[in-house]
Amino acid sequence: MNAMSPFQASQSIVQQHGLTSLYDGVIPMVMRRSLDWGIRFSVSNEVKNWVVRRKQASGLSTDLKLHELIFCGLIGGACSASTHPIDNIITNSMKPLPPGESRDMISVIRRMYTESGARAFTRGWDIKVLDNAYHMAWMYGVGTVVYDYMRKAMKDI
């Protein structure tokens, strides 16, 4: 399979396992992405609103500095790691299985639990918290600053 072109590999997979095998794991992936990004931005925005309210109550300017926006993103990103069990389900739904072994989401969850217990769903979670927090901190912090700058620059045009 490694010596094949992408088209040849896809053709081989479809011939051996059927067209739907190209979409193994797509339902949990869509669920995970939707939840992940929804949590990232919702929590980051709620933390931002909380920081603004605290600054307002103290009589300070409600404009957030870069480090405050990064803090909001850190929290939102860390909270989004709650979707990590779905990542593990996706990974397990795509690994090679003996012919005839069911790949539907419920079967994958049962197989994971049977093989590793609850640890199957939390394996790698600590790294995911750090990774999501780091990426969202930069995206929410620097992204907001860049967006605001560009929005103001576009108004002047």
Side-chain angles (χ1 to χ4, degrees), residues 37-148:
W37 287 100
I39 292 169
R40 285 180 191 225
F41 284 106
S42 297
V43 172
S44 296
N45 196 52
E46 287 302 315
V47 173
K48 176 183 158 190
N49 292 339
W50 177 78
V51 171
V52 166
R53 284 192 305 272
R54 288 190 50 110
K55 289 179 79 169
Q56 197 171 32
S58 300
L60 301 171
S61 167
T62 57
D63 292 336
L64 298 186
K65 295 177 174 58
L66 178 61
H67 72 278
E68 293 169 319
L69 291 167
I70 287 174
F71 168 76
C72 297
L74 275 171
I75 302 299
C79 288
S80 76
S82 62
T83 64
H84 185 66
I86 300 172
D87 278 338
N88 288 350
I89 293 167
I90 292 167
T91 302
N92 279 275
S93 72
M94 294 179 188
K95 70 183 187 182
L97 296 173
E101 190 81 31
S102 185
R103 291 181 177 275
D104 65 276
M105 190 166 66
I106 300 302
S107 297
V108 171
I109 291 169
R110 283 186 184 136
R111 190 169 34 257
M112 288 172 62
Y113 189 77
T114 300
E115 290 173 4
S116 304
R119 178 83 175 120
F121 304 97
T122 60
R123 186 175 291 125
W125 186 78
D126 47 352
I127 297 300
K128 182 58 83 175
V129 169
L130 294 173
D131 181 60
N132 287 7
Y134 167 79
H135 284 104
M136 192 61 185
W138 286 108
M139 189 160 140
Y140 198 77
V142 176
T144 300
V145 170
V146 170
Y147 172 78
D148 288 344

Side-chain angles (χ1 to χ4, degrees), residues 8-25:
Q8 290 170 324
S10 297
Q11 189 176 25
S12 174
I13 289 169
V14 169
Q15 287 172 347
Q16 291 176 20
H17 304 287
L19 184 62
T20 60
S21 67
L22 295 176
Y23 300 97
D24 287 344

